Amino acid sequence: MKKDYYEILEISKTSTVEEIKKAYRKKAIQYHPDKNPGDKEAEENFKLAAEAYEILSDPDKKARYDQYGHAAFDGAGDFGGGHMNMDDIFSQFGDIFGSAFGGGFSGFGGGFSGGGQRRVKGSNLRIKVKLTLEEIVNGVEKKVKVKRKVQAKGVTYKTCPTCHGSGQITKIANTILGRMQTATTCTTCQGSGQILDQKPSGADAYGMVMEDDTVSIKIPAGVVDGMQLKVSGKGNEAPGSNSIPGDLIVAIEEQEHEFLKREGENLHYDLYISYPEAALGASKEIETVGGRVRIKLEDGIQSGKILRLKGKGVPSLNGYGNGDLLVHVNVWTPKSLNKEQKEFFEKMLSDENFKPKPEKSDKSFFEKVKDMFS
C-alpha cells in the first residue's frame, strides 16, 4: 500500500505551492545522500519525497491525485509519478536543495557529483491513445509504434574539454558585494559533460538517429478522458554514454459509445417503450458494456422512471468496485395515429383510469436528478 503523498511531506491538501516546496526541501535535506551515505532507508525516503513533490507541485497532477489517489498515475506498470531514480530527482529538482550542499551531489551512483560527469535525460515523447468504452471498463494492453531518437550504433563520446565533464562552466566575478561565483550550462556539450567522439554514418551532429519502436502499454480499467499516463524510459534518448532516456507520455482519449453515456463511474442508457408496453409491462433487452441483458418492466411504469443496475458501470481507479448502469425509461408518444387509434384515445379522454394521478411515491423530475447524483 503506497503512502499518502501529503503524509510523506507532512502537509495538508490546502497547502500552498510555496508550503509544498518548503516541505519538500526540508525532507530532501533530511534524507539527502550526502548526509546519509549508504543508508538505504534514507535513499527510499529521499525518492518518496521527490515523487510526492513531483505530483503535488503540479496543479493538474495534484487535482488528479486528489480525485483518484495513486491510481491516477500508477494503475499499471511504469505509469505515473513513481519509479523515479536519483538522476531524475537531481535533474528536475536539484535547484531546490542544491545550495545546501554546495551544488555537488555525490551519494548514490555518483552521477551528479561536483567533479564527475553529469547525466542528461532525453526529452519526453507524447502520444494520444483512443479507447472504446469496452476497453476502458475492462482495461487493455495496447501496442503502439513511436518514432524516437536513439544513439546510433557505434557512436562513442569523450569528456568535454571545456567543462571537463561537469556540464557547467563556473565564473567568478568581482561585484560591490565581493567575489561572486556563478555556474552556467556548458555551451560546448549543452550540459551533458561529453562531446561526440566517433560519429557513425547517418547520425546527426549529436550521434543520434530516428528509430521506429513498438511500445506495449498496459492501460488500467477506469481511466478517464484527458488522463495522462507515463511509460518510463520510452521517450527520446540523449547523447552521451552516461545519459538516460526520457519518458513516453500517453494521453487518453475516450471514444463515444453508440448507446451508453458515461458520467464518472456510472453509465446511462435511454430505453424507449410504447404506451402498451408501459401499461401492460414488458420484457426488454438493453445494451451494457458486457453485452445485451434482459430486464423486466412492471405494468404501469411511468415515463422518467430510472432503473439502477448495480455494478454494471465503470470500475473505480481506486479499486472501490464498479459504478452502476442507470436505465432511463421513456414512454414514446406516437406522432401520427390512424382513424381507429384516434377513436380509441378520444374515448379514453374521459376515462378516469387514464387521468394522471401521481402518488407520493412518484418522484418529481428534480428528485430523480438528485437521486441520480447521490
Side-chain angles (χ1 to χ4, degrees), residues 132-174:
T132 64
L133 184 57
E134 288 79 6
E135 290 173 329
I136 289 174
V137 168
N138 299 313
V140 66
E141 183 172 353
K142 290 277 190 179
K143 292 186 182 296
V144 298
K145 283 189 175 181
V146 295
K147 283 187 175 292
R148 46 193 299 257
K149 282 186 177 181
V150 298
Q151 293 183 12
K153 290 183 178 178
V155 67
T156 58
Y157 299 90
K158 60 184 179 181
T159 301
C160 175
T162 305
C163 66
H164 305 292
S166 68
Q168 294 183 329
I169 301 297
T170 302
K171 296 180 180 179
I172 298 176
N174 293 317

Side-chain angles (χ1 to χ4, degrees), residues 254 261-268 314 324 326 372-373:
E254 183 177 335
K261 301 294 182 185
R262 181 182 180 184
E263 184 181 48
E265 293 167 6
N266 291 332
L267 296 176
H268 298 267
V314 181
D324 303 326
L326 303 174
M372 198 168 59
F373 287 98

Side-chain angles (χ1 to χ4, degrees), residues 112-131:
F112 280 79
S113 59
Q117 289 187 340
R118 182 181 180 185
R119 298 190 74 179
V120 174
K121 186 174 182 179
S123 60
N124 292 340
L125 289 176
R126 296 180 181 275
I127 62 169
K128 187 178 289 186
V129 173
K130 294 183 178 181
L131 299 179

Side-chain angles (χ1 to χ4, degrees), residues 124-234:
N124 292 340
L125 289 176
R126 296 180 181 275
I127 62 169
K128 187 178 289 186
V129 173
K130 294 183 178 181
L131 299 179
T132 64
L133 184 57
E134 288 79 6
E135 290 173 329
I136 289 174
V137 168
N138 299 313
V140 66
E141 183 172 353
K142 290 277 190 179
K143 292 186 182 296
V144 298
K145 283 189 175 181
V146 295
K147 283 187 175 292
R148 46 193 299 257
K149 282 186 177 181
V150 298
Q151 293 183 12
K153 290 183 178 178
V155 67
T156 58
Y157 299 90
K158 60 184 179 181
T159 301
C160 175
T162 305
C163 66
H164 305 292
S166 68
Q168 294 183 329
I169 301 297
T170 302
K171 296 180 180 179
I172 298 176
N174 293 317
T175 70
I176 57 174
L177 300 175
R179 290 167 62 85
M180 297 193 67
Q181 178 176 300
T182 59
T184 58
T185 301
C186 178
T187 55
T188 303
C189 64
Q190 307 302 317
S192 68
Q194 294 183 326
I195 60 172
L196 194 63
D197 182 22
Q198 292 187 9
K199 174 186 169 184
S201 176
D204 63 15
Y206 300 99
M208 311 296 290
V209 294
M210 293 298 294
E211 185 179 88
D212 289 328
D213 192 8
T214 300
V215 180
S216 181
I217 308 170
K218 291 182 179 179
I219 301 175
V223 294
V224 297
D225 186 74
M227 179 177 284
Q228 292 188 350
L229 309 175
K230 183 177 78 173
V231 185
S232 298
K234 288 299 181 179

Side-chain angles (χ1 to χ4, degrees), residues 278-293:
L280 302 174
S283 177
K284 303 289 288 186
E285 274 195 349
I286 65 167
E287 193 81 20
T288 72
V289 175
R292 299 183 69 84
V293 299

